[in-house]
Amino acid sequence: MAVTIKSPREIEIMRASGRILKVVLAELEKIIRPGIKTNEIDALAAKIIASYGCIPSFLNYNGFPASICVSVNEEVVHGIPSSRILLEGDIVSLDVGVNYKGYHTDAARTFGVGQVSKEAMQLMNVTKQAFFVGLEKAWAGNHLYDISNAVDAFVAQFGYGIVRDLVGHGIGLELHEDPQLPHFRQKRRGLRLRQGMTICIEPMINMGYAEVEWLDDEWTVISEDRSWSAHYENTILITDGQPELLTL
């Protein structure tokens, strides 16, 4: 496993990338409403990212055809923006990556479209909280799977399914670097976290079962039982103290 430790210069570039990504997500949140098409969200994201002299990390990544991922309801991740119209009561996950001066940051949020059900709101809130529960374990000297086990223990009390086929990851010069970070319980402790590591914690939580499947477009991942799913992600920096949130 080749885990990179970022230099002070690299960290500064990633901080700048994260600040830009925060702006993108904040602007996209403003336009989430019933009646908007998912490709309109993608178009705005592309425009904002370009305005900062950046490149969308996802565009053409292994052939992905859009600037961001837009996943609706039972779509877990990697939804391809299209002419699909968001409806009142939907939930939509936006996964965005920014490449600034060759360094990537990655973050995701799940938003309600108009008024959503109590069940959908709880799913979104629990998924977000699961990220912060994991973050509490992201200290130098702790182990990678301390994060995994904390997320699992928190989510388990709600009876939700934690997606196992997709995991968090390291990030930097590459969008996906070592280490891989599961969000479900592990028997081993995993590698020791060290100052200068940059990783993405990103719980993907299904209202029903954990199992997923891929659609024929070979990108969009949906819950196998068609239950709704939420996703919350940030890029973080491991420090000699409290972890630094680069995208929040």
Side-chain angles (χ1 to χ4, degrees), residues 21 25 58 69 77 93-97 106-111 131 201-204 231-235 247:
L21 201 160
L25 283 169
F58 301 164
C69 302
V77 285
S93 298
L94 307 182
D95 193 354
V96 181
D106 187 5
R109 306 282 185 268
T110 303
F111 301 112
F131 166 86
I201 302 174
E202 53 173 321
M204 290 155 271
H231 182 201
Y232 191 89
E233 174 186 18
N234 283 296
T235 300
T247 52

Side-chain angles (χ1 to χ4, degrees), residues 42-70:
D42 179 69
L44 178 59
K47 181 179 179 181
I48 299 170
I49 293 170
S51 74
Y52 284 93
C54 299
I55 300 169
S57 296
F58 301 164
L59 184 62
N60 299 319
Y61 180 77
N62 292 335
F64 189 75
S67 295
I68 67 171
C69 302
V70 184

Side-chain angles (χ1 to χ4, degrees), residues 97-161:
V98 166
N99 178 345
Y100 176 68
K101 295 185 178 180
Y103 286 84
H104 300 270
T105 51
D106 187 5
R109 306 282 185 268
T110 303
F111 301 112
V113 182
Q115 291 293 115
V116 302
S117 68
K118 291 181 180 178
E119 292 80 7
M121 184 61 69
Q122 177 177 279
L123 175 69
M124 292 188 291
N125 288 338
V126 167
T127 303
K128 180 177 179 179
Q129 291 169 36
F131 166 86
F132 286 100
V133 168
L135 184 70
E136 292 175 1
K137 299 296 184 179
W139 291 71
N142 277 2
H143 290 257
L144 187 69
Y145 297 156
D146 292 335
I147 300 171
S148 310
N149 295 345
V151 172
D152 186 294
F154 174 73
V155 174
Q157 62 189 312
F158 297 94
Y160 293 147

Side-chain angles (χ1 to χ4, degrees), residues 3 33 49 51 73 88 98 140 149 187 194 196 198-199 212 227 231-232:
V3 177
R33 64 180 186 277
I49 293 170
S51 74
N73 297 341
E88 181 83 19
V98 166
N149 295 345
K187 294 181 179 178
R194 294 171 54 198
T198 46
I199 61 174
V212 298
S227 61
H231 182 201
Y232 191 89

